[in-house]
PDB file of all heavy atoms in Angstrom:
ATOM      1  N   ALA Y  96     -23.751  -7.311  22.806  1.00 95.00           N
ATOM      2  CA  ALA Y  96     -24.452  -6.594  23.875  1.00 95.00           C
ATOM      3  C   ALA Y  96     -23.551  -6.236  25.050  1.00 95.00           C
ATOM      4  O   ALA Y  96     -23.644  -5.115  25.584  1.00 95.00           O
ATOM      5  CB  ALA Y  96     -25.654  -7.418  24.341  1.00 95.00           C
ATOM      6  N   PRO Y  97     -22.656  -7.104  25.528  1.00 96.00           N
ATOM      7  CA  PRO Y  97     -21.818  -6.721  26.677  1.00 96.00           C
ATOM      8  C   PRO Y  97     -20.923  -5.517  26.379  1.00 96.00           C
ATOM      9  O   PRO Y  97     -20.665  -4.708  27.274  1.00 96.00           O
ATOM     10  CB  PRO Y  97     -20.987  -7.977  26.944  1.00 96.00           C
ATOM     11  CG  PRO Y  97     -21.766  -9.094  26.358  1.00 96.00           C
ATOM     12  CD  PRO Y  97     -22.442  -8.512  25.153  1.00 96.00           C
ATOM     13  N   LEU Y  98     -20.453  -5.375  25.134  1.00 97.00           N
ATOM     14  CA  LEU Y  98     -19.612  -4.236  24.781  1.00 97.00           C
ATOM     15  C   LEU Y  98     -20.437  -2.974  24.609  1.00 97.00           C
ATOM     16  O   LEU Y  98     -20.006  -1.873  24.976  1.00 97.00           O
ATOM     17  CB  LEU Y  98     -18.833  -4.538  23.506  1.00 97.00           C
ATOM     18  CG  LEU Y  98     -17.822  -5.683  23.590  1.00 97.00           C
ATOM     19  CD1 LEU Y  98     -17.203  -5.949  22.219  1.00 97.00           C
ATOM     20  CD2 LEU Y  98     -16.739  -5.371  24.610  1.00 97.00           C
ATOM     21  N   ALA Y  99     -21.620  -3.112  24.048  1.00 95.00           N
ATOM     22  CA  ALA Y  99     -22.498  -1.952  23.862  1.00 95.00           C
ATOM     23  C   ALA Y  99     -22.955  -1.377  25.192  1.00 95.00           C
ATOM     24  O   ALA Y  99     -23.261  -0.186  25.292  1.00 95.00           O
ATOM     25  CB  ALA Y  99     -23.686  -2.345  23.008  1.00 95.00           C
ATOM     26  N   ALA Y 100     -22.996  -2.217  26.231  1.00 95.00           N
ATOM     27  CA  ALA Y 100     -23.513  -1.784  27.543  1.00 95.00           C
ATOM     28  C   ALA Y 100     -22.439  -1.185  28.441  1.00 95.00           C
ATOM     29  O   ALA Y 100     -22.744  -0.732  29.550  1.00 95.00           O
ATOM     30  CB  ALA Y 100     -24.172  -2.968  28.242  1.00 95.00           C
ATOM     31  N   LEU Y 101     -21.187  -1.174  28.009  1.00 96.00           N
ATOM     32  CA  LEU Y 101     -20.115  -0.664  28.855  1.00 96.00           C
ATOM     33  C   LEU Y 101     -20.286   0.824  29.147  1.00 96.00           C
ATOM     34  O   LEU Y 101     -20.671   1.601  28.270  1.00 96.00           O
ATOM     35  CB  LEU Y 101     -18.760  -0.881  28.180  1.00 96.00           C
ATOM     36  CG  LEU Y 101     -18.271  -2.324  28.023  1.00 96.00           C
ATOM     37  CD1 LEU Y 101     -16.944  -2.339  27.276  1.00 96.00           C
ATOM     38  CD2 LEU Y 101     -18.138  -3.010  29.368  1.00 96.00           C
ATOM     39  N   ASP Y 102     -19.991   1.212  30.385  1.00 95.00           N
ATOM     40  CA  ASP Y 102     -19.924   2.634  30.694  1.00 95.00           C
ATOM     41  C   ASP Y 102     -18.462   3.087  30.609  1.00 95.00           C
ATOM     42  O   ASP Y 102     -17.554   2.297  30.297  1.00 95.00           O
ATOM     43  CB  ASP Y 102     -20.527   2.935  32.064  1.00 95.00           C
ATOM     44  CG  ASP Y 102     -19.826   2.202  33.211  1.00 95.00           C
ATOM     45  OD1 ASP Y 102     -18.689   1.708  33.002  1.00 95.00           O
ATOM     46  OD2 ASP Y 102     -20.403   2.123  34.306  1.00 95.00           O
ATOM     47  N   TYR Y 103     -18.238   4.360  30.890  1.00 93.00           N
ATOM     48  CA  TYR Y 103     -16.898   4.939  30.738  1.00 93.00           C
ATOM     49  C   TYR Y 103     -15.863   4.196  31.576  1.00 93.00           C
ATOM     50  O   TYR Y 103     -14.784   3.830  31.088  1.00 93.00           O
ATOM     51  CB  TYR Y 103     -16.954   6.417  31.132  1.00 93.00           C
ATOM     52  CG  TYR Y 103     -15.625   7.127  31.166  1.00 93.00           C
ATOM     53  CD1 TYR Y 103     -15.012   7.572  30.001  1.00 93.00           C
ATOM     54  CD2 TYR Y 103     -14.982   7.366  32.383  1.00 93.00           C
ATOM     55  CE1 TYR Y 103     -13.786   8.231  30.032  1.00 93.00           C
ATOM     56  CE2 TYR Y 103     -13.755   8.028  32.423  1.00 93.00           C
ATOM     57  CZ  TYR Y 103     -13.169   8.455  31.249  1.00 93.00           C
ATOM     58  OH  TYR Y 103     -11.963   9.114  31.286  1.00 93.00           O
ATOM     59  N   ASP Y 104     -16.178   3.956  32.848  1.00 94.00           N
ATOM     60  CA  ASP Y 104     -15.200   3.329  33.728  1.00 94.00           C
ATOM     61  C   ASP Y 104     -14.899   1.902  33.302  1.00 94.00           C
ATOM     62  O   ASP Y 104     -13.736   1.466  33.328  1.00 94.00           O
ATOM     63  CB  ASP Y 104     -15.708   3.350  35.173  1.00 94.00           C
ATOM     64  CG  ASP Y 104     -15.748   4.761  35.743  1.00 94.00           C
ATOM     65  OD1 ASP Y 104     -14.873   5.569  35.373  1.00 94.00           O
ATOM     66  OD2 ASP Y 104     -16.654   5.062  36.537  1.00 94.00           O
ATOM     67  N   ALA Y 105     -15.928   1.137  32.923  1.00 96.00           N
ATOM     68  CA  ALA Y 105     -15.703  -0.250  32.512  1.00 96.00           C
ATOM     69  C   ALA Y 105     -14.886  -0.318  31.224  1.00 96.00           C
ATOM     70  O   ALA Y 105     -14.039  -1.206  31.059  1.00 96.00           O
ATOM     71  CB  ALA Y 105     -17.038  -0.967  32.336  1.00 96.00           C
ATOM     72  N   TYR Y 106     -15.113   0.628  30.317  1.00 97.00           N
ATOM     73  CA  TYR Y 106     -14.334   0.622  29.079  1.00 97.00           C
ATOM     74  C   TYR Y 106     -12.869   0.924  29.372  1.00 97.00           C
ATOM     75  O   TYR Y 106     -11.958   0.317  28.786  1.00 97.00           O
ATOM     76  CB  TYR Y 106     -14.900   1.636  28.083  1.00 97.00           C
ATOM     77  CG  TYR Y 106     -14.137   1.671  26.777  1.00 97.00           C
ATOM     78  CD1 TYR Y 106     -14.261   0.645  25.840  1.00 97.00           C
ATOM     79  CD2 TYR Y 106     -13.263   2.710  26.488  1.00 97.00           C
ATOM     80  CE1 TYR Y 106     -13.542   0.656  24.651  1.00 97.00           C
ATOM     81  CE2 TYR Y 106     -12.543   2.732  25.304  1.00 97.00           C
ATOM     82  CZ  TYR Y 106     -12.684   1.707  24.396  1.00 97.00           C
ATOM     83  OH  TYR Y 106     -11.952   1.715  23.229  1.00 97.00           O
ATOM     84  N   ARG Y 107     -12.609   1.863  30.282  1.00 94.00           N
ATOM     85  CA  ARG Y 107     -11.227   2.212  30.611  1.00 94.00           C
ATOM     86  C   ARG Y 107     -10.478   1.062  31.270  1.00 94.00           C
ATOM     87  O   ARG Y 107      -9.239   1.051  31.289  1.00 94.00           O
ATOM     88  CB  ARG Y 107     -11.199   3.438  31.524  1.00 94.00           C
ATOM     89  CG  ARG Y 107     -11.417   4.752  30.783  1.00 94.00           C
ATOM     90  CD  ARG Y 107     -11.419   5.919  31.739  1.00 94.00           C
ATOM     91  NE  ARG Y 107     -10.207   6.006  32.523  1.00 94.00           N
ATOM     92  CZ  ARG Y 107      -9.093   6.621  32.125  1.00 94.00           C
ATOM     93  NH1 ARG Y 107      -9.055   7.200  30.933  1.00 94.00           N
ATOM     94  NH2 ARG Y 107      -8.034   6.675  32.906  1.00 94.00           N
ATOM     95  N   GLU Y 108     -11.204   0.101  31.819  1.00 96.00           N
ATOM     96  CA  GLU Y 108     -10.550  -1.041  32.461  1.00 96.00           C
ATOM     97  C   GLU Y 108     -10.038  -2.060  31.449  1.00 96.00           C
ATOM     98  O   GLU Y 108      -9.293  -2.980  31.806  1.00 96.00           O
ATOM     99  CB  GLU Y 108     -11.514  -1.718  33.433  1.00 96.00           C
ATOM    100  CG  GLU Y 108     -11.776  -0.875  34.685  1.00 96.00           C
ATOM    101  CD  GLU Y 108     -12.833  -1.478  35.585  1.00 96.00           C
ATOM    102  OE1 GLU Y 108     -13.660  -2.290  35.079  1.00 96.00           O
ATOM    103  OE2 GLU Y 108     -12.845  -1.159  36.781  1.00 96.00           O
ATOM    104  N   ILE Y 109     -10.410  -1.919  30.169  1.00 97.00           N
ATOM    105  CA  ILE Y 109      -9.893  -2.808  29.126  1.00 97.00           C
ATOM    106  C   ILE Y 109      -8.490  -2.334  28.756  1.00 97.00           C
ATOM    107  O   ILE Y 109      -8.298  -1.192  28.353  1.00 97.00           O
ATOM    108  CB  ILE Y 109     -10.805  -2.800  27.883  1.00 97.00           C
ATOM    109  CG1 ILE Y 109     -12.230  -3.234  28.253  1.00 97.00           C
ATOM    110  CG2 ILE Y 109     -10.238  -3.721  26.812  1.00 97.00           C
ATOM    111  CD1 ILE Y 109     -13.200  -3.143  27.092  1.00 97.00           C
ATOM    112  N   PHE Y 132     -18.357   0.841  24.440  1.00 95.00           N
ATOM    113  CA  PHE Y 132     -18.773   2.146  24.963  1.00 95.00           C
ATOM    114  C   PHE Y 132     -19.097   3.062  23.783  1.00 95.00           C
ATOM    115  O   PHE Y 132     -19.913   2.716  22.932  1.00 95.00           O
ATOM    116  CB  PHE Y 132     -17.683   2.703  25.878  1.00 95.00           C
ATOM    117  CG  PHE Y 132     -18.004   4.019  26.531  1.00 95.00           C
ATOM    118  CD1 PHE Y 132     -19.221   4.229  27.155  1.00 95.00           C
ATOM    119  CD2 PHE Y 132     -17.076   5.049  26.532  1.00 95.00           C
ATOM    120  CE1 PHE Y 132     -19.516   5.451  27.758  1.00 95.00           C
ATOM    121  CE2 PHE Y 132     -17.359   6.262  27.130  1.00 95.00           C
ATOM    122  CZ  PHE Y 132     -18.583   6.454  27.735  1.00 95.00           C
ATOM    123  N   ASP Y 160      -6.540  -7.504  28.455  1.00 97.00           N
ATOM    124  CA  ASP Y 160      -7.126  -7.719  29.776  1.00 97.00           C
ATOM    125  C   ASP Y 160      -8.457  -6.987  29.752  1.00 97.00           C
ATOM    126  O   ASP Y 160      -8.485  -5.754  29.711  1.00 97.00           O
ATOM    127  CB  ASP Y 160      -6.194  -7.165  30.856  1.00 97.00           C
ATOM    128  CG  ASP Y 160      -6.783  -7.286  32.259  1.00 97.00           C
ATOM    129  OD1 ASP Y 160      -7.981  -7.636  32.388  1.00 97.00           O
ATOM    130  OD2 ASP Y 160      -6.057  -7.012  33.226  1.00 97.00           O
ATOM    131  N   LEU Y 161      -9.554  -7.737  29.729  1.00 96.00           N
ATOM    132  CA  LEU Y 161     -10.866  -7.134  29.500  1.00 96.00           C
ATOM    133  C   LEU Y 161     -11.468  -6.484  30.740  1.00 96.00           C
ATOM    134  O   LEU Y 161     -12.529  -5.870  30.659  1.00 96.00           O
ATOM    135  CB  LEU Y 161     -11.827  -8.187  28.954  1.00 96.00           C
ATOM    136  CG  LEU Y 161     -11.452  -8.742  27.565  1.00 96.00           C
ATOM    137  CD1 LEU Y 161     -12.403  -9.862  27.168  1.00 96.00           C
ATOM    138  CD2 LEU Y 161     -11.471  -7.632  26.529  1.00 96.00           C
ATOM    139  N   GLY Y 162     -10.806  -6.602  31.890  1.00 95.00           N
ATOM    140  CA  GLY Y 162     -11.326  -5.975  33.089  1.00 95.00           C
ATOM    141  C   GLY Y 162     -12.371  -6.828  33.777  1.00 95.00           C
ATOM    142  O   GLY Y 162     -12.883  -7.798  33.210  1.00 95.00           O
ATOM    143  N   PRO Y 163     -12.741  -6.474  35.007  1.00 95.00           N
ATOM    144  CA  PRO Y 163     -13.645  -7.328  35.796  1.00 95.00           C
ATOM    145  C   PRO Y 163     -15.041  -7.470  35.199  1.00 95.00           C
ATOM    146  O   PRO Y 163     -15.663  -8.518  35.336  1.00 95.00           O
ATOM    147  CB  PRO Y 163     -13.692  -6.628  37.159  1.00 95.00           C
ATOM    148  CG  PRO Y 163     -13.198  -5.232  36.918  1.00 95.00           C
ATOM    149  CD  PRO Y 163     -12.251  -5.310  35.782  1.00 95.00           C
ATOM    150  N   LYS Y 164     -15.535  -6.463  34.507  1.00 94.00           N
ATOM    151  CA  LYS Y 164     -16.902  -6.550  34.001  1.00 94.00           C
ATOM    152  C   LYS Y 164     -17.022  -7.530  32.835  1.00 94.00           C
ATOM    153  O   LYS Y 164     -18.091  -8.107  32.600  1.00 94.00           O
ATOM    154  CB  LYS Y 164     -17.386  -5.168  33.562  1.00 94.00           C
ATOM    155  CG  LYS Y 164     -18.896  -5.101  33.355  1.00 94.00           C
ATOM    156  CD  LYS Y 164     -19.401  -3.680  33.385  1.00 94.00           C
ATOM    157  CE  LYS Y 164     -20.918  -3.651  33.355  1.00 94.00           C
ATOM    158  NZ  LYS Y 164     -21.423  -2.266  33.435  1.00 94.00           N
ATOM    159  N   LEU Y 165     -15.930  -7.730  32.079  1.00 95.00           N
ATOM    160  CA  LEU Y 165     -15.960  -8.633  30.925  1.00 95.00           C
ATOM    161  C   LEU Y 165     -15.124  -9.886  31.156  1.00 95.00           C
ATOM    162  O   LEU Y 165     -14.876 -10.643  30.212  1.00 95.00           O
ATOM    163  CB  LEU Y 165     -15.445  -7.908  29.681  1.00 95.00           C
ATOM    164  CG  LEU Y 165     -16.247  -6.705  29.195  1.00 95.00           C
ATOM    165  CD1 LEU Y 165     -15.527  -6.032  28.036  1.00 95.00           C
ATOM    166  CD2 LEU Y 165     -17.651  -7.113  28.780  1.00 95.00           C
ATOM    167  N   ALA Y 166     -14.682 -10.112  32.383  1.00 92.00           N
ATOM    168  CA  ALA Y 166     -13.793 -11.238  32.677  1.00 92.00           C
ATOM    169  C   ALA Y 166     -14.411 -12.555  32.209  1.00 92.00           C
ATOM    170  O   ALA Y 166     -15.596 -12.828  32.447  1.00 92.00           O
ATOM    171  CB  ALA Y 166     -13.496 -11.299  34.168  1.00 92.00           C
ATOM    172  N   GLY Y 167     -13.606 -13.344  31.515  1.00 90.00           N
ATOM    173  CA  GLY Y 167     -14.046 -14.656  31.052  1.00 90.00           C
ATOM    174  C   GLY Y 167     -14.811 -14.653  29.752  1.00 90.00           C
ATOM    175  O   GLY Y 167     -15.136 -15.729  29.227  1.00 90.00           O
ATOM    176  N   GLN Y 168     -15.101 -13.495  29.192  1.00 92.00           N
ATOM    177  CA  GLN Y 168     -15.862 -13.440  27.947  1.00 92.00           C
ATOM    178  C   GLN Y 168     -14.917 -13.540  26.749  1.00 92.00           C
ATOM    179  O   GLN Y 168     -13.723 -13.243  26.830  1.00 92.00           O
ATOM    180  CB  GLN Y 168     -16.669 -12.146  27.869  1.00 92.00           C
ATOM    181  CG  GLN Y 168     -17.649 -11.981  29.012  1.00 92.00           C
ATOM    182  CD  GLN Y 168     -18.928 -11.285  28.570  1.00 92.00           C
ATOM    183  OE1 GLN Y 168     -19.353 -11.396  27.427  1.00 92.00           O
ATOM    184  NE2 GLN Y 168     -19.553 -10.586  29.498  1.00 92.00           N
ATOM    185  N   ASP Y 169     -15.475 -13.965  25.637  1.00 94.00           N
ATOM    186  CA  ASP Y 169     -14.728 -14.053  24.395  1.00 94.00           C
ATOM    187  C   ASP Y 169     -15.566 -13.417  23.290  1.00 94.00           C
ATOM    188  O   ASP Y 169     -16.805 -13.346  23.392  1.00 94.00           O
ATOM    189  CB  ASP Y 169     -14.433 -15.513  24.061  1.00 94.00           C
ATOM    190  CG  ASP Y 169     -13.350 -15.642  23.008  1.00 94.00           C
ATOM    191  OD1 ASP Y 169     -12.715 -14.626  22.675  1.00 94.00           O
ATOM    192  OD2 ASP Y 169     -13.137 -16.767  22.512  1.00 94.00           O
ATOM    193  N   PHE Y 170     -14.881 -12.933  22.256  1.00 96.00           N
ATOM    194  CA  PHE Y 170     -15.571 -12.284  21.141  1.00 96.00           C
ATOM    195  C   PHE Y 170     -14.985 -12.798  19.842  1.00 96.00           C
ATOM    196  O   PHE Y 170     -13.824 -13.214  19.783  1.00 96.00           O
ATOM    197  CB  PHE Y 170     -15.430 -10.762  21.240  1.00 96.00           C
ATOM    198  CG  PHE Y 170     -15.984 -10.189  22.513  1.00 96.00           C
ATOM    199  CD1 PHE Y 170     -15.144  -9.841  23.562  1.00 96.00           C
ATOM    200  CD2 PHE Y 170     -17.351 -10.037  22.684  1.00 96.00           C
ATOM    201  CE1 PHE Y 170     -15.648  -9.328  24.749  1.00 96.00           C
ATOM    202  CE2 PHE Y 170     -17.872  -9.525  23.871  1.00 96.00           C
ATOM    203  CZ  PHE Y 170     -17.021  -9.176  24.902  1.00 96.00           C
TER     204      PHE Y 170
END
Side-chain angles (χ1 to χ4, degrees):
L98 296 175
L101 292 177
D102 60 16
Y103 174 79
D104 291 326
Y106 180 74
R107 282 178 57 86
E108 289 174 338
I109 301 176
F132 182 48
D160 177 351
L161 295 175
K164 194 161 187 178
L165 297 175
Q168 301 215 30
D169 196 9
F170 301 101

